[in-house]
């Protein structure tokens, strides 16, 4: 296929390929310019759905030479947008020029150096390369230039009176309401609700959907779940959509009361997302030519199925919440577990207190790559340890595996639960026990990962083909730490790492998703050895004996190669022990490390 002279089916093929490889990117029409009798001058714009107006990629052909560019093209009549895009261009320039990208400051365009495109495959490859460089810097620049107004409060409090949506004696009521009707309710954000977390893509996706509303046709935006506490309506599900729609109505000039403008968030991250949403909405609205007509369509034609539960049935609200698949940010396993276990807490004050603490746990910063301590502890390590103790595989690719693992265990109605020790493998009780269980193990994990040995292991093995090994090694080492603390932690790591290294040396291939390594860890019975040992000495002795005469290649020194993945793992472990050997006090294990890795 010749891109310099596009064929009749060229655009159709191009759009099909983008739909397959870059879903969500809108491929524009072929736009010709210049004197086509002599040269085929044309361009095609590619616009990701979350981009602001005038920002796009463009395949540009002139004098039979094609290249892909990234453009920032503000509305020339919008001074604020011109200033923003100019500042963003400068920020992108500083981040891109040392990565093989050239810049035209007059046109605010960027392109890869020495890139010539002459086929559909080369165009797709160039798009992938350029978008991977541009999009992270673009998002960072937009956040740096946003309007900083963190509070949601904009209007003084107005008393609207409590509008009854549920008859006395009823448990639940469902009715279809448009957005204007919903905004007449005394809506409130309860303390136990999760924080506002919509990103640019969610906001622009909603905006683009609103632009497609046809005259006089209802536009349904899913279900909103409310809890009627006789004073106001607490939003159980739907706050992401309702907050965003509130800010859109405000920016479009809605002159009626908006109840959620009286609400606020304590979380700095939620405040940051609110500020970003205000700014993104402001830019989007500025590109709208007929704001009054759009405002009327949004207020009158956007509708919801509003499900209201009575004051005495908060647990019923959480049941609906747990099964609701709302439009927007999908519910995580941790959202569903919060809803599930709050239903077991009868005292409302206690439920609110626990929910507020849980929301803070959800906002913990990353500790390993993009994962925070909640996911690393509960979603990975404790989950695996619980499964492996019962000789069950860790099904981490299965749907809602975290939610299923930590739901309340069945119990006998006449026998109350007692005797919990907060062991990682104990049954999960519904309610406060679960929240205390999670908080306790997160604290243990945060202390565990501060150990210099763990940090060194991450440094050497946490990338490339070894990540599946370090992840499983960390689970085993954390299991040991939960039983014995830091006592002989380096010796325990040698037992785990040596056995796993021998497994790798003797395997031609291992599954890249880590399932084979995890199954090996389960079958190694290391966890049973730890659980049955009353002292580190018994575990270490049994673990050392477990690897003897078990593998054809019983030492990294005997590897038949001096390169490749197997040798790379040997080198990484040698680097770890070059640092960690002084931490080993046991003579037997110390001598084994020196013999295996030649460290003095």
């Amino acid at each position: 296929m010749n891109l310099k002279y596009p064929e009749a089916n060229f655009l159709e093929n191009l759009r099909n390929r983008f739909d397959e490889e870059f879903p969500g990117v809108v491929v524009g029409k072929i736009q010709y310019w210049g004197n086509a009798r002599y040269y085929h001058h044309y361009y095609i714009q590619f616009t990701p759905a979350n981009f602001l107006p005038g920002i796009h990629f463009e395949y540009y052909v002139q004098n039979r030479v094609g290249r892909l560019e990234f453009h920032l093209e503000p509305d020339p009549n919008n001074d604020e947008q011109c200033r923003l895009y100019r500042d963003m261009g400068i920020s992108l320039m500083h981040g891109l020029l040392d990565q093989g990208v050239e810049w035209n400051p007059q046109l605010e365009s960027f392109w890869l150096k020495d890139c010539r495109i002459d086929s559909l495959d080369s165009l797709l490859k160039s798009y992938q390369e350029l978008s991977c460089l541009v999009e992270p810097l673009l998002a960072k620049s937009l956040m740096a230039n946003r309007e900083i107004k963190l509070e949601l409060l904009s209007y003084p409090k107005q008393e609207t009176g409590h509008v009854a949506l549920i008859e006395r004696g009823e448990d639940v009521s469902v009715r279809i309401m448009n957005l204007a009707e919903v905004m007449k309710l005394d809506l409130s954000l309860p303390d136990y609700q999760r924080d506002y977390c919509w990103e640019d893509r969610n906001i622009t996706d909603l905006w683009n959907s609103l632009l497609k509303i046809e005259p006089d046709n209802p536009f349904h935006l899913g279900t909103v779940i409310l809890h009627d506490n006789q004073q106001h309506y607490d939003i159980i599900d739907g706050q992401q959509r309702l907050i965003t729609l509130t800010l859109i109505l405000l920016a479009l000039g809605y002159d009626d009361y908006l109840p959620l403008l009286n609400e606020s968030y304590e979380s700095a991250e939620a405040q940051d997302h609110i500020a970003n949403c205000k700014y993104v909405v402001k830019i989007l609205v500025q590109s709208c030519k007929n704001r009054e007509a759009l405002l009327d369509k949004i207020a009158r034609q956007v509708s919801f199925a509003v499900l209201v539960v009575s004051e005495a049935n908060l647990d019923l609200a959480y049941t609906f919440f747990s099964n609701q698949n709302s439009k927007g940010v999908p519910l995580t396993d941790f959202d569903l577990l919060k809803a599930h276990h709050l239903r077991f807490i009868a005292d409302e004050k206690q439920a609110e207190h626990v929910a507020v603490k849980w929301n803070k746990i959800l906002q913990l910063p990353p500790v390993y790559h993009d994962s925070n301590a909640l996911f690393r502890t509960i979603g990975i390590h404790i989950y695996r340890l619980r499964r492996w103790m019962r000789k069950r595989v860790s099904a981490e690719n299965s749907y809602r595996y975290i939610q299923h693992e930590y739901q309340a265990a069945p119990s006998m109605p006449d026998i109350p639960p007692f005797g919990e020790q907060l062991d990682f493998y104990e049954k999960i009780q519904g309610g406060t026990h679960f929240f205390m269980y999670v908080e306790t193990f997160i604290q243990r994990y945060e202390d565990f990962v501060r150990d210099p040995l763990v940090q060194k292991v991450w440094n050497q093995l946490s990338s490339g083909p070894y990540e599946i090994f370090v992840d499983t090694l960390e689970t085993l080492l954390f299991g040991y730490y939960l039983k014995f603390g830091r006592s002989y932690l380096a010796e325990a790591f040698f037992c785990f790492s040596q056995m796993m290294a021998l497994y790798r040396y003797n395997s031609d291939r291992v599954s890249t998703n880590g399932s084979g390594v995890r199954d090996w860890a389960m079958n190694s019975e290391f966890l049973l050895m730890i659980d049955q040992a009353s002292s580190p000495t018994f575990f270490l002795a049994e673990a050392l004996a477990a690897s003897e005469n078990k593998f054809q290649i019983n030492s990294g020194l005997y590897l038949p190669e001096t390169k490749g993945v197997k040798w790379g793992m040997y080198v990484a472990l040698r680097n770890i022990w070059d640092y960690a050997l002084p931490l080993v006090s046991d003579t037997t294990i110390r001598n084994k490390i020196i013999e295996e890795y030649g460290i003095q």
Side-chain angles (χ1 to χ4, degrees):
M1 181 178 295
N2 190 341
L3 299 188
K4 298 172 186 175
Y5 300 94
E7 302 165 1
N9 62 345
F10 163 66
L11 194 59
E12 181 182 355
N13 292 335
L14 182 61
R15 285 173 174 163
N16 289 337
R17 289 290 298 276
F18 263 80
D19 285 342
E20 293 175 4
E21 301 188 31
F22 308 105
V25 176
V26 177
V27 178
K29 299 179 180 179
I30 299 177
Q31 302 287 343
Y32 291 95
W33 62 279
N35 191 337
R37 291 179 58 190
Y38 301 102
Y39 301 111
H40 282 259
H41 297 343
Y42 70 91
Y43 64 88
I44 304 171
Q45 293 183 352
F46 308 94
T47 308
N50 61 316
F51 273 23
L52 296 178
I55 302 179
H56 55 263
F57 296 91
E58 186 170 295
Y59 176 60
Y60 173 91
V61 176
Q62 183 177 14
N63 297 340
R64 303 181 182 178
V65 176
R67 75 181 181 205
L68 184 71
E69 299 183 349
F70 170 73
H71 288 186
L72 293 162
E73 297 180 0
D75 180 349
N77 298 317
N78 188 327
D79 293 338
E80 184 172 356
Q81 196 177 81
C82 289
R83 178 199 59 78
L84 170 65
Y85 287 15
R86 183 183 64 251
D87 291 345
M88 291 169 66
I90 294 173
S91 297
L92 289 171
M93 179 270 291
H94 288 301
L96 291 174
L97 292 189
D98 60 348
Q99 300 190 58
V101 175
E102 294 186 355
W103 176 45
N104 184 326
Q106 283 74 37
L107 298 177
E108 295 293 2
S109 60
F110 299 83
W111 62 91
L112 297 169
K113 290 181 180 178
D114 303 322
C115 179
R116 294 293 182 267
I117 300 172
D118 56 9
S119 68
L120 188 52
D121 287 337
S122 63
L123 174 56
L124 292 164
K125 182 175 183 294
S126 296
Y127 179 87
Q128 182 177 28
E129 292 177 1
L130 188 58
S131 63
C132 286
L133 291 173
V134 166
E135 293 197 33
L137 294 173
L138 185 66
K140 184 177 179 180
S141 176
L142 179 60
M143 288 296 289
N145 283 282
R146 75 194 186 286
E147 179 184 10
I148 306 298
K149 283 188 178 179
L150 300 183
E151 74 283 355
L152 189 56
L153 182 62
S154 294
Y155 291 158
K157 180 71 174 178
Q158 296 184 24
E159 297 298 334
T160 60
H162 190 67
V163 179
L165 295 179
I166 189 168
E167 298 293 335
R168 186 177 297 276
E170 286 186 337
D171 290 331
V172 63
S173 169
V174 182
R175 63 187 68 195
I176 302 297
M177 302 177 70
N178 67 26
L179 181 57
E181 292 171 331
V182 172
M183 289 301 169
K184 292 185 183 299
L185 303 176
D186 44 343
L187 301 174
S188 178
L189 298 175
D191 290 337
Y192 49 81
Q193 181 58 277
R194 64 175 178 167
D195 284 336
Y196 182 80
C197 60
W198 268 21
E199 303 283 355
D200 295 4
R201 182 178 296 276
N202 308 114
I203 300 164
T204 52
D205 282 350
L206 176 60
W207 173 262
N208 291 331
S209 297
L210 297 175
L211 294 178
K212 298 176 183 177
I213 298 176
E214 298 179 357
D216 302 323
N217 284 345
F219 186 80
H220 190 64
L221 264 183
T223 301
V224 169
I225 303 176
L226 306 177
H227 173 227
D228 184 357
N229 65 14
Q230 300 300 308
Q231 296 178 343
H232 46 250
Y233 289 102
D234 286 336
I235 301 174
I236 303 300
D237 187 43
Q239 68 145 329
Q240 310 290 328
R241 287 166 288 155
L242 291 176
I243 288 290
T244 308
L245 287 166
T246 293
L247 296 178
I248 289 174
L249 290 175
L250 182 64
L252 286 171
Y254 190 72
D255 57 5
D256 209 341
Y257 178 60
L258 295 170
L260 291 177
L261 292 177
N262 292 303
E263 300 301 302
S264 60
Y265 292 93
E266 293 184 5
S267 162
E269 185 167 348
Q271 291 175 348
D272 203 46
H273 279 102
I274 288 290
N276 182 59
C277 181
K278 283 185 175 183
Y279 193 80
V280 172
V281 167
K282 182 177 181 180
I283 297 297
L284 292 171
V285 167
Q286 286 176 347
S287 66
C288 181
K289 295 180 180 179
N290 194 342
R291 301 181 191 179
E292 186 175 346
L294 179 61
L295 174 60
D296 184 70
K297 287 195 293 185
I298 292 174
R300 308 303 166 190
Q301 293 176 230
V302 169
S303 66
F304 303 92
V306 179
L307 188 151
V308 183
V309 296
S310 65
E311 181 179 12
N313 285 277
L314 183 60
D315 60 336
L316 184 60
Y318 282 124
T319 300
F320 286 120
F321 172 82
S322 300
N323 293 284
Q324 176 65 21
N325 184 17
S326 300
K327 184 181 180 70
V329 177
L331 301 174
T332 68
D333 285 27
F334 298 114
D335 292 323
L336 299 175
L337 284 171
K338 180 181 82 168
H340 172 76
H341 284 284
L342 284 177
R343 288 157 47 196
F344 290 87
I345 305 177
D347 187 284
E348 186 174 348
K349 291 294 184 183
Q350 289 184 9
E352 289 186 10
H353 174 76
V354 168
V356 169
K357 292 185 69 177
W358 182 259
N359 286 345
K360 291 180 179 178
I361 290 174
L362 290 175
Q363 301 300 327
L364 288 172
V367 294
Y368 181 85
H369 296 337
D370 295 329
S371 302
N372 67 6
L374 171 62
F375 180 74
R376 293 294 295 176
T377 306
I378 301 303
I380 295 181
H381 299 312
I382 295 297
Y383 167 77
R384 290 175 183 171
L385 294 173
R386 290 172 63 85
R387 302 285 295 182
W388 293 346
M389 278 293 289
R390 291 173 173 262
K391 284 288 188 176
R392 296 175 180 171
V393 298
S394 54
E396 294 168 38
N397 294 322
S398 61
Y399 180 71
R400 298 293 189 197
Y401 74 93
I402 299 174
Q403 177 201 2
H404 296 153
E405 180 64 30
Y406 296 101
Q407 288 184 327
S411 60
M412 301 299 292
D414 296 335
I415 305 175
F418 59 87
E420 63 272 12
Q421 302 295 316
L422 287 181
D423 291 322
F424 67 80
Y425 48 74
E426 72 186 28
K427 294 293 185 180
I428 301 295
Q429 295 179 30
T432 54
H433 171 263
F434 166 74
F435 295 104
M436 182 171 61
Y437 176 96
V438 172
E439 189 173 1
T440 298
F441 283 107
I442 285 177
Q443 291 172 355
R444 298 292 304 276
Y445 179 74
E446 289 178 331
D447 181 67
F448 166 73
V449 297
R450 283 193 288 266
D451 190 279
L453 176 61
V454 177
Q455 295 291 321
K456 186 66 176 179
V457 172
W458 278 357
N459 179 261
Q460 290 294 322
L461 291 172
S462 63
S463 62
Y466 312 116
E467 188 167 4
I468 58 175
F469 294 96
V470 70
D471 216 39
T472 304
L473 277 171
E474 186 181 327
T475 301
L476 292 172
L477 197 62
F478 185 46
Y480 176 91
Y481 171 85
L482 291 175
K483 179 70 178 283
F484 297 116
R486 287 190 168 83
S487 296
Y488 302 99
L489 191 66
E491 285 86 345
F493 176 73
F494 173 77
C495 295
F496 298 139
S497 63
Q498 185 65 7
M499 185 84 136
M500 185 174 288
L502 295 179
Y503 162 75
R504 181 64 188 96
Y505 300 158
N506 287 269
S507 303
D508 291 333
R509 298 184 64 184
V510 296
S511 175
T512 56
N513 66 8
S515 59
V517 179
R518 294 193 296 271
D519 290 349
W520 168 85
M522 175 190 68
N523 293 322
S524 70
E525 300 190 346
F526 277 138
L527 281 185
L528 293 176
M529 298 179 199
I530 293 170
D531 186 56
Q532 294 171 1
S534 57
S535 166
T537 187
F538 299 117
F539 164 72
L540 295 173
E542 186 175 5
L544 285 177
S547 63
E548 292 182 1
N549 303 318
K550 196 170 186 177
F551 299 101
Q552 182 176 356
I553 300 175
N554 57 17
S555 170
L557 296 172
Y558 303 149
L559 285 173
E561 55 188 281
T562 56
K563 61 181 180 178
V565 175
K566 296 179 182 180
W567 182 254
M569 186 170 185
Y570 175 82
V571 171
L573 290 172
R574 185 175 62 193
N575 291 339
I576 292 171
W577 290 117
D578 191 45
Y579 158 82
L581 185 62
L583 303 177
V584 178
S585 58
D586 177 79
T587 304
T588 301
I589 292 180
R590 185 181 179 87
N591 289 338
K592 285 182 176 292
I593 294 171
I594 293 172
E595 179 183 356
E596 174 71 9
Y597 296 102
I599 300 171
Q600 300 299 324

